Amino acid sequence: MRKVSVFGATGSIGESTFDLLMGQGGAEAYDVVALSGGRNVARLAEQARALKADIAVTAFEDSLPALREALAGSGVEAAAGAQALIEAAHRPADWIMSGIVGAAGLAPGFAALSQGTTLALANKESLVTAGPLLMAEARAHGATILPVDSEHSAIFQGLVGEEIGAVERVIITASGGAFRDWPLERLAQATVAEASSHPNWNMGQRITIDSASMFNKTLEVIEAKEFFGFTPGQIEVLVHPQSIVHSIVGFRDGALMAHLGVPDMRHAIGYALNWPDRQKLPVARLDLAAIGSLEFRAPDTERFPALRLAREVMETGGLSGTVFNAAKEIALDLFIAGRIGFLQMAALVEAVLEDMSKGQGLGIAAVDLDMVLDCDAEARARALVISEQGRI
Ligand code: NAD
Ligand code: MG
């Protein structure tokens, strides 16, 4: 039986993964090794019982007693904390979902790759934060990374049987998020509740707000550079409000190969789960005649400065992705906490990038994970200082 683990099992990606695993035979078809979650230990325990997991891990040590209690009599081991997540990721498995949100997914992802497994990567932050190291780790251990972000899964599928050298460009589609049609003046007043509802996709709160600010697209552009090795000039962003075309690969003969489907992450997760095969998936089928027409427009970098920052980060390379992601995570925390406004998120990220590029600059490549984590911590601290000083 195939051994699988799911990190971030209780989140939006994790629940979709759980749903697919259950639909494809559950504990009878898979030998489930580890499931991880956060504070929602009741749900984590429920999933672990249903899939007969060996171990359930909560990210937070103070949640361990509650997890133990919820697992009583199940035979599922309970553990907690960042180190326990890493240990669980070292447990042999053939397929591991990296579905934790934020840079917290980095260390478990590295641990998983070190066992030469197949890593289904939803955690885009780890590629933005430490792309070259992550890809090198995969190569060094003969591990396979399969992209789960819908755009990257679309591009990956568009490349099957193709030579990467024949690619002229990739077009990453963007729904435009909750505020796609809002004027700049109104964006300044946008509330957390308004930013937390996505027109097409049902996702975790953090990525939903990142979609509204277009930071999600910035992360994805950098993710495409790091994962596929495209040059910044090859990567385009195209607003497509319907989220039906998930991305497009353009070849040197001018042909464009697009991936179409309903906006349901079980498409991309299911592809990664069954790769290189395709299995029947429980997703709705597209009715193109009912849709009638597909809409596309150019992105607006004035209203969404995050898109401009993507270019800067890609041109600089090195540690700028680490700083960018860390500052963005803090900016998002501060926005959710009501401490900064919607537009101040991009202003804060830009200020941290500027601050930290003084001196040596950010173009130096990280030599190891510790260097990345140090830089990540420094960027978070600087972001807090800059915001407290009211410099944005
Ligand atoms: P989510 O917030 O719904 O779930 C996050 C999961 O991570 C939960 O299980 C949570 O308990 C766990 N978690 C939170 N903080 C943690 C920490 N500090 N340490 C360990 N675990 C922690 O998030 P999501 O929307 O499922 O997104 C997960 C990842 O997938 C993100 O990187 C996101 O960008 C990416 N992604 C999500 C979608 C989507 O449709 N939701 C699409 C593409 C990519
Ligand atoms: Mg995406």
Side-chain angles (χ1 to χ4, degrees):
M1 262 203 291
R2 227 163 132 217
K3 285 177 178 283
V4 303
S5 289
V6 182
F7 288 81
T10 54
S12 165
I13 288 288
E15 285 289 2
S16 293
T17 309
F18 174 79
D19 183 62
L20 288 168
L21 290 172
M22 291 300 284
Q24 292 191 180
E28 264 74 70
Y30 295 96
D31 181 353
V32 178
V33 180
L35 298 182
S36 93
R39 301 236 171 256
N40 193 353
V41 292
R43 180 58 187 151
L44 179 61
E46 216 168 74
Q47 293 178 328
R49 283 175 190 270
L51 284 172
K52 298 192 170 59
D54 297 341
I55 184 170
V57 188
T58 163
F60 308 107
E61 289 184 16
D62 54 353
S63 291
L64 184 57
L67 179 62
R68 280 219 176 97
E69 199 177 313
L71 286 171
S74 66
V76 181
E77 210 181 312
Q83 201 51 43
L85 281 172
I86 294 174
E87 277 161 27
H90 277 300
R91 292 198 178 196
D94 308 299
W95 187 89
I96 299 181
M97 166 56 74
S98 167
I100 289 173
V101 65
L106 189 59
F110 265 84
L113 289 174
S114 74
Q115 55 158 302
T117 189
T118 295
L119 187 70
L121 189 68
N123 181 266
K124 61 189 87 185
E125 296 90 342
S126 48
L127 271 175
V128 174
T129 300
L133 287 177
L134 199 80
M135 300 306 287
E137 186 75 1
R139 277 192 300 274
H141 298 280
T144 302
I145 301 180
L146 297 174
V148 169
D149 216 344
S150 58
E151 296 77 4
H152 306 74
S153 174
I155 294 168
F156 189 78
Q157 294 181 52
L159 290 171
V160 171
E162 303 285 354
E163 251 182 71
I164 197 91
V167 176
E168 193 170 65
R169 58 183 180 146
V170 288
I171 303 171
I172 297 182
T173 49
S175 68
F179 303 147
R180 145 181 89 211
D181 301 315
W182 284 34
L184 190 60
E185 313 77 68
R186 199 172 158 210
L187 284 178
Q189 311 303 326
T191 66
V192 174
E194 287 166 332
S196 301
S197 114
H198 196 283
N200 308 336
W201 295 92
N202 182 8
M203 310 184 286
Q205 187 194 28
R206 297 184 71 87
I207 182 174
T208 302
I209 300 176
D210 281 350
S211 298
S213 61
M214 293 288 247
F215 266 120
N216 182 49
K217 216 40 64 179
T218 308
L219 294 172
E220 290 180 355
V221 165
I222 302 169
E223 184 186 5
K225 170 181 174 266
E226 299 299 346
F227 181 77
F228 296 105
F230 298 131
T231 61
Q234 284 179 297
I235 308 171
E236 299 168 25
V237 172
L238 178 69
V239 174
H240 168 47
Q242 295 142 307
S243 299
I244 285 168
V245 176
H246 295 140
S247 276
I248 303 167
V249 184
F251 294 93
R252 63 179 163 221
D253 58 359
L256 298 181
M257 301 292 276
H259 178 284
L260 280 72
V262 292
D264 183 332
M265 282 309 291
R266 290 176 303 177
H267 252 308
I269 300 168
Y271 183 76
L273 180 61
N274 298 304
W275 178 87
D277 295 334
R278 285 186 189 271
Q279 297 296 334
K280 199 169 169 65
L281 295 177
V283 295
R285 271 37 182 179
L286 270 185
D287 180 347
L288 287 172
I291 292 162
S293 62
L294 295 173
E295 191 190 338
F296 302 100
R297 48 177 121 136
D300 179 350
T301 48
E302 202 178 312
R303 283 185 306 134
F304 300 103
L307 289 174
R308 178 172 43 77
L309 294 178
R311 299 284 150 200
E312 290 176 24
V313 169
M314 285 194 296
E315 297 302 342
T316 309
L319 287 166
S320 63
T322 313
V323 171
F324 172 78
N325 181 69
K328 193 236 48 150
E329 289 195 31
I330 294 294
L332 183 55
D333 289 343
L334 294 172
F335 174 65
I336 292 173
R339 287 170 53 193
I340 63 174
F342 184 76
L343 290 177
Q344 282 179 300
M345 286 194 285
L348 179 56
V349 174
E350 193 159 14
V352 177
L353 278 167
E354 210 178 282
D355 216 46
M356 287 189 64
S357 33
K358 288 179 190 143
Q360 276 186 302
L362 290 173
I364 11 159
V367 294
D368 57 22
L369 192 53
D370 282 341
M371 190 168 165
V372 170
L373 295 174
D374 285 350
C375 177
D376 172 278
E378 193 185 339
R380 284 169 199 265
R382 294 256 193 133
L384 287 172
V385 169
I386 291 174
S387 114
E388 269 154 31
Q389 290 173 341
R391 282 164 56 195
I392 46 161

